[in-house]
Amino acid sequence: MQQVLLIVDVQSTFSPSEKLVDGIRVLSAHIPTIASIELHDEQVTPFQRQLGWHPASEDVALVEADKVFVKHGYGQTAETLDYIKRLGVERVLVCGLQTETCVLAAGFALFDAGLTPTLVTDLTMGSSLDRSGQLGIDLWKHHFGHVTTAAEVLAGLKG
Protein backbone atom coordinates (compact mmCIF):
# COMPACT_ATOMS: atom_id res chain seq x y z
CA MET A 1 0.00 0.00 0.00
CA GLN A 2 1.34 3.42 -0.90
CA GLN A 3 1.17 5.72 2.09
CA VAL A 4 2.77 8.78 3.58
CA LEU A 5 3.14 9.95 7.17
CA LEU A 6 1.94 13.47 8.01
CA ILE A 7 3.41 14.74 11.28
CA VAL A 8 1.28 17.59 12.59
CA ASP A 9 2.96 20.35 14.62
CA VAL A 10 5.54 18.32 16.52
CA GLN A 11 7.54 21.38 17.50
CA SER A 12 8.83 22.92 20.72
CA THR A 13 5.94 25.43 20.94
CA PHE A 14 3.59 22.59 21.90
CA SER A 15 5.93 20.72 24.28
CA PRO A 16 5.59 17.20 22.89
CA SER A 17 6.68 14.38 25.14
CA GLU A 18 9.99 12.69 24.43
CA LYS A 19 8.11 9.40 24.09
CA LEU A 20 5.93 10.88 21.33
CA VAL A 21 8.88 12.37 19.44
CA ASP A 22 10.87 9.12 19.71
CA GLY A 23 7.90 7.02 18.57
CA ILE A 24 7.32 9.22 15.53
CA ARG A 25 11.03 9.05 14.67
CA VAL A 26 10.90 5.25 14.65
CA LEU A 27 7.95 5.20 12.26
CA SER A 28 9.21 8.03 10.05
CA ALA A 29 12.45 6.13 9.42
CA HIS A 30 10.43 3.55 7.46
CA ILE A 31 8.00 5.64 5.42
CA PRO A 32 7.94 8.83 3.32
CA THR A 33 7.25 11.66 5.75
CA ILE A 34 5.80 15.16 5.58
CA ALA A 35 5.57 17.53 8.52
CA SER A 36 3.70 20.71 9.28
CA ILE A 37 4.68 23.34 11.78
CA GLU A 38 2.42 26.10 13.02
CA LEU A 39 3.93 29.58 13.15
CA HIS A 40 2.26 32.74 14.40
CA ASP A 41 1.24 35.46 12.00
CA GLU A 42 -1.53 37.54 13.56
CA GLN A 43 -2.38 38.97 10.12
CA VAL A 44 -3.30 35.48 8.97
CA THR A 45 -4.79 33.88 12.09
CA PRO A 46 -5.88 36.01 15.08
CA PHE A 47 -4.66 33.76 17.90
CA GLN A 48 -3.57 36.61 20.17
CA ARG A 49 -6.66 38.75 19.56
CA GLN A 50 -9.15 35.92 20.03
CA LEU A 51 -7.39 33.54 22.44
CA GLY A 52 -4.83 35.71 24.22
CA TRP A 53 -2.14 33.23 23.19
CA HIS A 54 -0.21 32.38 20.07
CA PRO A 55 2.35 29.87 18.84
CA ALA A 56 5.93 31.00 18.30
CA SER A 57 6.67 33.00 15.17
CA GLU A 58 9.78 30.87 14.63
CA ASP A 59 10.10 27.16 15.33
CA VAL A 60 11.25 23.94 13.68
CA ALA A 61 9.94 20.42 13.29
CA LEU A 62 11.38 18.11 15.96
CA VAL A 63 11.24 15.08 13.66
CA GLU A 64 13.04 14.97 10.33
CA ALA A 65 10.76 14.88 7.32
CA ASP A 66 11.19 14.74 3.57
CA LYS A 67 9.29 18.03 3.33
CA VAL A 68 8.11 20.54 5.96
CA PHE A 69 5.20 22.90 5.39
CA VAL A 70 4.45 26.02 7.42
CA LYS A 71 0.87 26.80 8.41
CA HIS A 72 -0.56 29.68 10.43
CA GLY A 73 -3.71 28.16 11.89
CA TYR A 74 -5.35 24.87 12.71
CA GLY A 75 -5.73 23.48 9.19
CA GLN A 76 -3.28 22.24 6.61
CA THR A 77 -2.48 24.52 3.68
CA ALA A 78 -3.63 24.03 0.10
CA GLU A 79 0.05 23.62 -0.81
CA THR A 80 0.39 20.70 1.61
CA LEU A 81 -2.76 19.01 0.33
CA ASP A 82 -1.71 19.47 -3.31
CA TYR A 83 1.70 17.97 -2.52
CA ILE A 84 0.13 14.92 -0.87
CA LYS A 85 -2.33 14.43 -3.73
CA ARG A 86 0.53 14.51 -6.25
CA LEU A 87 2.18 11.64 -4.36
CA GLY A 88 -0.72 9.40 -5.38
CA VAL A 89 -0.86 7.64 -2.02
CA GLU A 90 -3.66 5.32 -0.96
CA ARG A 91 -3.73 6.61 2.60
CA VAL A 92 -2.27 9.38 4.72
CA LEU A 93 -1.13 8.32 8.17
CA VAL A 94 -1.54 11.24 10.57
CA CYS A 95 0.16 11.75 13.92
CA GLY A 96 1.25 14.61 16.15
CA LEU A 97 -0.26 17.45 18.14
CA GLN A 98 -2.97 18.16 19.22
CA THR A 99 -5.36 15.31 18.59
CA GLU A 100 -8.63 17.21 18.98
CA THR A 101 -7.49 20.41 17.25
CA CYS A 102 -4.78 20.53 14.55
CA VAL A 103 -4.64 16.76 14.01
CA LEU A 104 -8.42 16.58 13.63
CA ALA A 105 -8.34 19.65 11.34
CA ALA A 106 -5.80 17.79 9.18
CA GLY A 107 -8.19 14.86 9.00
CA PHE A 108 -11.03 17.06 7.75
CA ALA A 109 -8.80 18.72 5.15
CA LEU A 110 -7.43 15.39 3.90
CA PHE A 111 -10.90 13.82 3.78
CA ASP A 112 -12.37 16.81 1.94
CA ALA A 113 -9.49 16.57 -0.56
CA GLY A 114 -10.55 13.01 -1.40
CA LEU A 115 -7.73 11.34 0.52
CA THR A 116 -7.93 8.59 3.15
CA PRO A 117 -6.74 9.98 6.49
CA THR A 118 -5.74 7.34 9.04
CA LEU A 119 -4.87 8.33 12.60
CA VAL A 120 -1.89 6.64 14.27
CA THR A 121 -3.51 6.61 17.71
CA ASP A 122 -0.41 5.92 19.80
CA LEU A 123 1.57 8.71 18.12
CA THR A 124 -0.70 11.59 19.00
CA MET A 125 -1.17 13.76 22.06
CA GLY A 126 -4.09 15.99 22.96
CA SER A 127 -4.22 19.57 24.15
CA SER A 128 -4.36 20.62 27.80
CA LEU A 129 -8.09 19.88 27.59
CA ASP A 130 -7.35 16.16 27.12
CA ARG A 131 -3.66 15.20 27.10
CA SER A 132 -4.58 11.55 26.48
CA GLY A 133 -5.92 12.50 23.06
CA GLN A 134 -8.93 10.21 23.55
CA LEU A 135 -11.45 12.93 22.68
CA GLY A 136 -9.70 13.50 19.35
CA ILE A 137 -9.38 9.77 18.69
CA ASP A 138 -13.12 9.30 19.29
CA LEU A 139 -13.95 12.22 16.98
CA TRP A 140 -11.57 10.83 14.34
CA LYS A 141 -13.19 7.38 14.46
CA HIS A 142 -16.63 8.99 14.15
CA HIS A 143 -15.76 11.22 11.19
CA PHE A 144 -13.16 9.22 9.24
CA GLY A 145 -13.27 5.66 10.59
CA HIS A 146 -9.66 4.77 9.88
CA VAL A 147 -7.28 4.37 12.82
CA THR A 148 -4.18 2.29 13.38
CA THR A 149 -1.14 2.02 15.63
CA ALA A 150 2.55 2.41 14.91
CA ALA A 151 3.06 -1.33 15.51
CA GLU A 152 0.37 -2.19 12.97
CA VAL A 153 1.91 0.11 10.36
CA LEU A 154 5.42 -1.30 10.94
CA ALA A 155 4.10 -4.88 10.76
CA GLY A 156 2.37 -4.05 7.46
CA LEU A 157 5.59 -2.62 6.05
CA LYS A 158 7.49 -5.80 6.96
CA GLY A 159 4.76 -8.08 5.60
Side-chain angles (χ1 to χ4, degrees), residues 10-138:
V10 176
Q11 61 193 80
S12 59
T13 295
F14 300 114
S15 304
S17 70
E18 198 170 308
K19 179 182 176 189
L20 178 69
V21 173
D22 290 345
I24 294 172
R25 282 185 178 137
V26 168
L27 183 57
S28 69
H30 299 279
I31 187 170
T33 302
I34 299 164
S36 68
I37 59 169
E38 184 175 0
L39 299 180
H40 182 245
D41 182 340
E42 193 71 16
Q43 301 304 313
V44 178
T45 306
F47 278 107
Q48 186 63 43
R49 180 172 56 84
Q50 291 192 28
L51 301 177
W53 173 90
H54 61 81
S57 57
E58 293 184 23
D59 208 342
V60 296
L62 297 178
V63 177
E64 272 192 40
D66 300 311
K67 189 141 177 81
V68 177
F69 292 91
V70 172
K71 62 189 189 73
H72 297 289
Y74 294 107
Q76 296 294 313
T77 66
E79 179 186 16
T80 306
L81 297 172
D82 289 343
Y83 181 85
I84 294 171
K85 287 176 92 170
R86 284 194 309 271
L87 294 175
V89 296
E90 295 174 47
R91 76 175 177 177
V92 181
L93 299 167
V94 183
C95 64
L97 303 166
Q98 297 165 329
T99 319
E100 75 279 17
T101 56
C102 293
V103 170
L104 188 62
F108 283 115
L110 293 163
F111 184 87
D112 288 351
L115 298 161
T116 305
T118 303
L119 182 66
V120 184
T121 58
D122 55 335
L123 295 181
T124 186
M125 190 170 88
S127 70
S128 58
L129 180 65
D130 173 24
R131 278 307 214 198
S132 75
Q134 193 58 55
L135 173 61
I137 292 168
D138 292 344

